Amino acid sequence: MIIRHTFRRPREVVLLGAAIYSKYNSDLANRDAASEKLKYRLRATINEKANKSILDSYQSEIFPIFNKDYLDEFCECVRSNMIEREDILKLNPDMINYMYRLGLLGYVDRGRQQFLPPLAHIYAQERNLPVSDYYLVHPSLDLKFLEKTKLEEYYNKYNIIGHGRRFEPPNKDMRHFVDGHTLQHFKPNHRPGRGTEEHQWRSARIFVSADELYQRVFMGDLSDDACRLRHQRIMESTSFLTSALLLWSAQQIEQAYHADLTDWKEKLKRDILYYKRSLPYDSRISQIHTGALDQFTERIFGRLVVTGLILALGESNAEAKSMVIHFDPDIDPNIHYTASDVTYLRHAFFLAHLPEKGALTTDQARKLWEGLSDCERQMLSDWFRRAVQYTVLPNENFVNEDHQVYLESQLRRSHLAKIIDL
């Protein structure tokens, strides 16, 4: 709680500790650690001391002079202690890079929060803010921001900001991928088969208007519980893929380093099984009603899962089919499935450009990717980047840096990593 408000120098930690001790030690009533009032007062004391003593002292150390105009501009433009990349790009780059070099603006790398050490890079004009999805305001500035911004608006609800701490990216619901788009955004760019679009949909056993299915599943009224549940189910495809990616990663580490991750793998298998539903993927849709919309939603779920398994994890048609049907990684897909796997995947999930047999080539992978809808590409790209950076690489089960470096090198070899330039 204390160190993160400092610049990680011993004298600053002592200063904060002394301020807390002198203010609260003599007051026995404040020794109740469960007291909400005490927590609030402690936070206020730390923020005040960090801002008025530690930050002011740090500014006085900067030669020839601290650029107060940049600090004022920063405090005027920013409203939260977590800033997304699209917002940081709208700000003055000279001001942003200055705050970064001073260690007052941090970033996220491999799921960890990073701030530069004090005074080390102030004059390194060539050192610019690294590319990151999220940027972070140093806690020593909290009091300045809270003078202008409400507490609940300023503090990020997912993370406590501080150098070296884990970073949990904010959740994105389906609305993030849906709002502001037309119907075409959700429809696949390519479908398997020849002939007219209607004929192609009939080959996928869909005998109603595909436009209406997409309209009602993706663009329906979110005040309707059924619509929200369909959106939730589609988003569960990325949660499923994250569990599958972690399981794949655990298997890679076991093989490369002879580690024993059996217990964790069993938990991940249970997580995967949680997403299993009873609706068949390849049932005929000949009318539009609640059951048909649910069944179509399930096919969208499976479509995203199969594509992620093939492009990110390098699974074969048979392996992807087995996983999406049984949700059990221990089932040998070669026992039950044959070359007809690709036919099933094409009809159930209307995926174009799947190879008849053999490993997916780079060209086939790109064609498969291009055949997806814009929404699907956005979802899978966002999932893979976030899963790798915030879930896989910093995972506590991969106990040393060698594991992380090895996993990153393996992940970067995947078709999806190359397509999205991970």
Side-chain angles (χ1 to χ4, degrees), residues 156-312:
N156 178 254
K157 65 181 181 179
Y158 297 98
N159 298 279
I160 295 175
I161 305 303
H163 177 77
R165 298 182 69 94
R166 280 286 301 272
F167 182 83
E168 184 70 28
N171 291 329
K172 292 184 178 179
D173 60 21
M174 196 64 194
R175 189 173 301 176
H176 174 82
F177 303 101
V178 169
D179 285 354
H181 294 290
T182 63
L183 180 63
Q184 192 55 45
H185 179 72
F186 309 106
K187 294 180 59 180
N189 292 317
H190 304 144
R191 293 158 300 278
R194 300 178 181 178
T196 64
E197 180 177 340
E198 181 182 0
H199 179 77
Q200 291 170 346
W201 284 117
R202 285 177 174 270
S203 297
R205 298 176 61 78
I206 294 175
F207 296 88
V208 295
S209 167
D211 283 7
E212 187 172 352
L213 288 172
Y214 276 101
Q215 174 81 34
R216 294 182 61 173
V217 167
F218 283 93
M219 305 173 72
D221 182 3
L222 287 178
S223 64
D224 177 55
D225 288 342
C227 182
R228 283 190 285 106
L229 287 173
R230 291 182 193 114
H231 280 197
Q232 179 181 316
R233 180 56 175 168
I234 293 171
M235 286 301 298
E236 284 180 353
S237 63
T238 58
S239 301
F240 170 96
L241 285 170
T242 297
S243 296
L245 182 62
L246 284 170
L247 180 60
W248 176 90
S249 300
Q251 292 166 343
Q252 298 296 309
I253 293 300
E254 280 192 331
Q255 293 172 10
Y257 293 91
H258 307 291
D260 184 6
L261 298 174
T262 303
D263 291 343
W264 185 43
K265 288 196 305 179
E266 290 304 314
K267 176 187 178 301
L268 290 171
K269 291 174 186 177
R270 292 193 295 272
D271 291 344
I272 289 171
L273 189 61
Y274 167 80
Y275 296 105
K276 186 175 183 179
R277 300 291 184 270
S278 59
L279 290 174
Y281 297 111
D282 57 347
S283 294
R284 176 189 178 103
I285 298 178
S286 54
Q287 291 181 325
I288 295 181
H289 48 69
T290 299
L293 294 174
D294 291 343
Q295 204 266 333
F296 186 69
T297 299
E298 204 63 23
R299 293 173 81 168
I300 298 296
F301 168 92
R303 180 179 162 86
L304 287 162
V305 165
V306 167
T307 305
L309 293 174
I310 291 175
L311 291 181

Side-chain angles (χ1 to χ4, degrees), residues 51 71 74-81 137-138 141-150 154:
N51 181 258
L71 177 60
F74 185 65
C75 293
E76 189 64 35
C77 295
V78 174
R79 289 290 176 268
S80 170
N81 65 351
V137 176
H138 193 279
L141 295 174
D142 285 358
L143 187 62
K144 282 189 174 294
F145 282 95
L146 291 173
E147 291 172 353
K148 300 181 179 181
T149 308
K150 292 180 180 179
Y154 175 68

